[in-house]
């Protein structure tokens, strides 16, 4: 039986091109179509594959997510000591994994996304994934010159008008790994970073390297990532401090604030008839089993809604006595929180506070509608154990 080559995924970088999001969430964990991008990468390979994960910036997040989302996959985590100072870069991250890669291997950048195809299984010789791009974008990528179906030259982060060049997509198979690492040990820098192109240049000077075309999507910048999201969602439900994933029949939730995880785990034990059983949790993540079903909005009627109210009344809305400052708490929860959320929405979607036509009727803007609410009546309620959204 032929053993499967390991896959090295680079996640150590700070992801500065991703904007503010990457300051609290590793860019490999950005959600696309319900899954972290690193999960999409893992799903492109056989489930018996061993993965070498280079971690640095927010490395514990990557480790915790993978152990929850993919418990049956074999991972080896390599801490990259220098991932943001002078001389750091993807080349140094990959070089840090050298001891774990003493055989032919794949390597993948964590911001690479490609459509499944059988060519990924081609391991008879060295190859690099390529894709055609616009000439005006070539200075953003490592460009590979192709002649007679082989790669003969590299232009890294340099403008090229030559049509014989294609962009390297951050995916490749390195059969002659010793030569690759010999080249990678060179400390030449491009834009102050240690690049993978050091290893690739030496590899193509010593061995044949094929280009393989892939249907590729770059999700390595904030603009590219947001463009990809639009393919799957008409509305961006993402929040700046939390993320939701659906992986391997699990729901996984991430929160920037670790205290939220601690409190959610405790809360799940208080009322097991209502809250899902948390099956795993690590620092900023927790998970529970995914259950197939339909939303109430799709199947609602008077009988179903009455059953819901009866269930909530029996299991959730348990009256509490002597709640201090109850009206003040309700004012903060219903009034202040509503306006705080509305402000965030209007910041995220400027010019959204306008009149709308709904079911053929002219409806006032949300700000106008909120002025018509009797907030004193809303906050004058009966204290119960948990509110129901």
């Amino acid at each position: 039986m032929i053993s499967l080559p390991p896959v090295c995924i680079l996640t150590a970088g700070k992801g500065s091109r991703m904007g503010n999001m990457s300051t609290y969430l590793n860019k490999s964990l950005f959600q696309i179509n319900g899954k972290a991008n690193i999960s999409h990468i893992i799903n492109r390979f056989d489930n018996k594959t061993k993965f070498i994960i280079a971690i640095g910036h927010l490395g514990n997040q990557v480790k915790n997510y993978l152990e929850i989302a993919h418990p049956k996959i074999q991972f080896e985590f390599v801490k990259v000591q220098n991932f943001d100072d002078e001389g750091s870069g993807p080349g140094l991250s990959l070089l840090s994994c050298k001891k774990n890669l003493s055989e032919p291997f794949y390597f993948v950048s964590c911001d690479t996304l490609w459509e499944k195809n059988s060519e990924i299984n081609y391991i008879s010789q060295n190859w690099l994934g390529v894709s055609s791009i616009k000439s005006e974008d070539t200075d953003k990528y490592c460009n590979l010159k192709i002649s007679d179906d082989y790669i003969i030259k590299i232009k890294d982060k340099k403008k090229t008008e030559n049509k014989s060049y294609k962009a390297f997509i951050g995916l490749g198979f390195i059969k002659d790994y010793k030569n690759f690492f010999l080249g990678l040990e060179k400390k030449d820098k491009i834009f102050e970073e240690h690049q993978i192109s050091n290893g690739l240049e030496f590899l193509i000077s010593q061995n044949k390297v094929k280009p393989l075309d892939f249907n590729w999507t770059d999700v390595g910048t904030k603009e590219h990532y947001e463009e990809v999201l639009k393919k799957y969602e008409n509305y961006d439900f993402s929040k700046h401090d939390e993320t939701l994933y659906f992986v391997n029949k699990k729901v996984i939730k991430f929160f920037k604030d670790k205290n939220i995880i601690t409190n959610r785990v405790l809360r799940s034990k208080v009322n097991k008839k209502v809250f899902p059983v948390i099956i795993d949790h690590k620092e900023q993540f927790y998970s529970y089993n995914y259950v197939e079903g339909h939303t109430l909005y799709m199947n609602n009627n008077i009988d179903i809604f009455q059953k819901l109210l009866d269930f909530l009344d029996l299991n959730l809305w348990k009256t509490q006595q002597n709640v201090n400052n109850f009206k003040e708490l309700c004012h903060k929860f219903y009034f202040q929180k509503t306006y705080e959320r509305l402000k965030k929405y209007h910041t995220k979607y400027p010019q959204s506070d306008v009149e709308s036509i709904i079911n053929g009727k002219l409806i006032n803007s949300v700000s106008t509608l909120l002025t018509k609410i009797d907030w004193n009546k809303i906050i004058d309620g009966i204290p119960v154990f948990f509110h129901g959204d």
Side-chain angles (χ1 to χ4, degrees):
M1 181 179 176
I2 300 175
S3 61
L4 296 168
V7 177
C8 184
I9 305 178
L10 308 181
T11 74
K14 294 186 74 172
S16 55
R17 297 184 301 161
M18 301 302 296
N20 293 335
M21 253 180 94
S22 61
T23 62
Y24 70 85
L25 184 66
N26 184 281
K27 67 176 181 177
S28 69
L29 303 180
F30 282 25
Q31 181 269 129
I32 298 173
N33 197 24
K35 295 182 176 64
N37 195 56
I38 197 168
S39 286
H40 287 290
I41 292 171
I42 289 167
N43 291 340
R44 297 295 187 264
F45 295 93
D46 189 283
N47 59 15
K48 293 183 175 62
T49 300
K50 178 174 69 175
F51 290 87
I52 314 300
I53 312 295
I55 58 175
H57 174 63
L58 301 174
N60 275 348
Q61 281 185 359
V62 179
K63 185 174 185 292
N64 291 337
Y65 170 83
L66 291 176
E67 289 177 346
I68 292 175
H70 302 277
K72 296 181 180 180
I73 297 292
Q74 183 182 356
F75 295 109
E76 292 180 9
F77 297 95
V78 178
K79 289 186 178 180
V80 178
Q81 299 304 319
N82 177 14
F83 57 85
D84 61 352
D85 291 330
E86 184 179 350
S88 63
L92 184 62
S93 294
L94 190 49
L95 189 59
S96 301
C97 300
K98 180 181 176 182
K99 291 182 180 178
N100 302 72
L101 298 169
S102 57
E103 60 182 307
F105 67 95
Y106 296 95
F107 75 86
V108 192
S109 299
C110 69
D111 52 15
T112 291
L113 188 63
W114 70 96
E115 289 188 7
K116 284 185 179 180
N117 62 38
S118 59
E119 287 193 304
I120 197 77
N121 299 316
Y122 179 65
I123 58 174
S124 60
Q125 67 179 110
N126 305 293
W127 60 260
L128 300 176
V130 298
S131 183
S132 297
I133 60 172
K134 296 177 182 178
S135 60
E136 57 263 33
D137 294 329
T138 52
D139 60 343
K140 302 181 182 71
Y141 298 97
C142 177
N143 303 286
L144 310 175
K145 187 174 184 179
I146 300 165
S147 178
D148 296 327
D149 205 27
Y150 285 98
I151 298 165
I152 61 169
K153 190 176 180 180
I154 291 177
K155 277 191 176 183
D156 199 355
K157 308 292 191 300
K158 294 179 182 178
K159 184 83 74 175
T160 177
E161 301 285 345
N162 194 321
K163 292 184 179 180
S164 63
Y165 281 89
K166 290 187 177 182
F168 171 52
I169 69 169
L171 166 68
F173 177 73
I174 308 300
K175 186 175 179 64
D176 296 293
Y177 61 95
K178 291 181 180 179
N179 281 338
F180 174 75
F181 281 118
L182 277 175
L184 201 58
E185 287 171 353
K186 289 177 59 180
K187 296 184 179 179
D188 296 349
K189 290 181 287 186
I190 299 174
F191 294 135
E192 302 304 315
E193 285 192 333
H194 187 157
Q195 299 291 350
I196 291 172
S197 54
N198 291 344
L200 298 181
E201 282 186 322
F202 189 73
L203 182 66
I204 66 173
S205 72
Q206 303 295 313
N207 307 98
K208 289 187 173 182
V209 182
K210 286 184 67 67
L212 294 185
D213 280 281
F214 284 84
N215 191 346
W216 162 64
T217 301
D218 175 17
V219 290
T221 68
K222 184 174 183 289
E223 294 73 23
H224 288 163
Y225 172 68
E226 290 176 345
E227 193 63 33
V228 171
L229 282 184
K230 291 176 183 176
K231 295 180 181 179
Y232 302 102
E233 301 170 359
N234 293 324
Y235 173 78
D236 181 7
F237 287 96
S238 64
K239 299 180 181 179
H240 291 298
D241 54 1
E242 62 184 88
T243 305
L244 178 66
Y245 309 98
F246 300 92
V247 187
N248 293 328
K249 297 182 180 180
K250 295 177 185 176
V251 178
I252 302 175
K253 292 189 175 182
F254 163 84
F255 288 90
K256 178 183 175 182
D257 185 354
K258 296 179 183 179
N259 292 325
I260 293 177
I261 301 297
T262 301
N263 292 333
R264 291 285 176 92
V265 172
L266 291 173
R267 190 179 73 176
S268 71
K269 299 174 182 178
V270 171
N271 192 335
K272 294 182 179 180
K273 288 184 177 180
V274 174
F275 302 119
V277 176
I278 292 178
I279 58 175
D280 204 351
H281 61 94
K282 296 177 187 289
E283 295 185 345
Q284 294 171 286
F285 299 88
Y286 72 86
S287 68
Y288 50 87
N289 289 323
Y290 176 78
V291 178
E292 290 284 350
H294 300 285
T295 63
L296 181 65
Y297 308 107
M298 295 171 62
N299 297 276
N300 200 12
N301 59 45
I302 292 176
D303 291 336
I304 291 175
F305 196 72
Q306 184 61 55
K307 289 179 181 179
L308 171 65
L309 292 176
D310 292 342
F311 173 84
L312 295 174
D313 195 42
L314 179 65
N315 298 292
L316 190 66
W317 296 333
K318 298 181 180 180
T319 304
Q320 303 293 294
Q321 302 297 327
N322 303 320
V323 179
N324 294 328
N325 305 318
F326 180 66
K327 284 191 175 181
E328 183 182 330
L329 291 171
C330 286
H331 184 272
K332 182 178 180 181
F333 183 84
Y334 291 107
F335 182 84
Q336 291 184 22
K337 194 171 183 179
T338 296
Y339 275 94
E340 285 170 4
R341 286 181 169 179
L342 186 62
K343 183 178 179 180
K344 289 180 180 179
Y345 180 86
H346 289 155
T347 300
K348 193 172 185 179
Y349 297 96
Q351 300 178 333
S352 58
D353 193 27
V354 295
E355 295 177 337
S356 304
I357 303 294
I358 300 177
N359 295 334
K361 294 183 178 181
L362 181 66
I363 305 298
N364 292 131
S365 67
V366 175
S367 295
T368 302
L369 291 174
L370 289 178
T371 63
K372 300 180 180 182
I373 293 176
D374 184 350
W375 293 101
N376 289 322
K377 186 174 182 179
I378 285 182
I379 65 177
D380 187 19
I382 300 171
V384 294
F385 185 49
F386 278 104
H387 76 89
D389 282 346

